[in-house]
Amino acid sequence: CIGCGACVKACIGAALQLAGTKYTAKEAVRNIMKDKAYYMSSGGGMTVSGGEPGVQADFAEALLALGKHEGIHTAVETTACIDYAILERFAKYTDLFLIDWKITDPVKFKEIIGGDNSKIRANIKKLHDAGATILLRCPIVPDVNDTDDHFKGIADITKEMPNIIGAEV
């Protein structure tokens, strides 16, 4: 899907529709700021997520910069499987990185996810060494990554990088 709407026009039963609203970063943050009092009293804030926010790096960075300028807590939820330069741009305006750590075993990761988790690990290390606040998010899927080796891998990362504030399973 590229959001062109051709399927909506072609749908005989009118069962399809495009939904959503396009915003500039300023418009989005203006809407977000309507709840600033709640963020301040609850400790909440703005989380830029996706898919992968790095795919829309310019927009995500603009959101983060504007949110930070407004004094709200900012977070980025990411796979960290993107160029580090993008994460570095985000880091200037990000209070917390929520990083997916799906599968520790590189062979299994490639087989199931189709990529290379060494890039993710390297990006986590670079963010950690740069002083970023990181929380690992570890979705557990039965018969995929619910293994002792994976849990040990999660523990090893947090031992190697002690400034990671935790791992959510």
Side-chain angles (χ1 to χ4, degrees), residues 13-48:
L16 299 175
Q17 63 180 350
L18 288 179
T21 304
K22 290 186 178 189
Y23 292 103
T24 66
K26 284 182 181 180
E27 291 168 334
V29 171
R30 192 175 309 122
N31 282 333
I32 290 165
M33 294 312 296
K34 291 176 184 175
D35 292 320
K36 184 175 182 178
Y38 175 74
Y39 305 141
M40 295 297 132
S41 67
S42 69
M46 174 179 70
T47 300
V48 179

Side-chain angles (χ1 to χ4, degrees), residues 48-109:
V48 179
S49 62
E52 171 55 57
V55 174
Q56 298 182 44
D58 292 341
F59 183 76
E61 182 181 15
L63 281 175
L64 292 163
L66 290 165
K68 182 54 59 195
H69 176 76
E70 291 292 341
I72 62 171
H73 184 274
T74 57
V76 172
E77 187 167 6
T78 177
T79 64
C81 192
I82 56 178
D83 288 337
Y84 180 72
I86 294 171
L87 294 170
E88 194 172 37
R89 287 169 50 192
F90 292 173
K92 293 183 280 188
Y93 311 108
T94 301
D95 296 308
L96 175 64
F97 282 92
L98 305 163
I99 299 179
D100 291 338
W101 185 252
K102 292 180 175 70
I103 303 173
T104 301
D105 180 286
V107 173
K108 201 170 200 181
F109 187 93

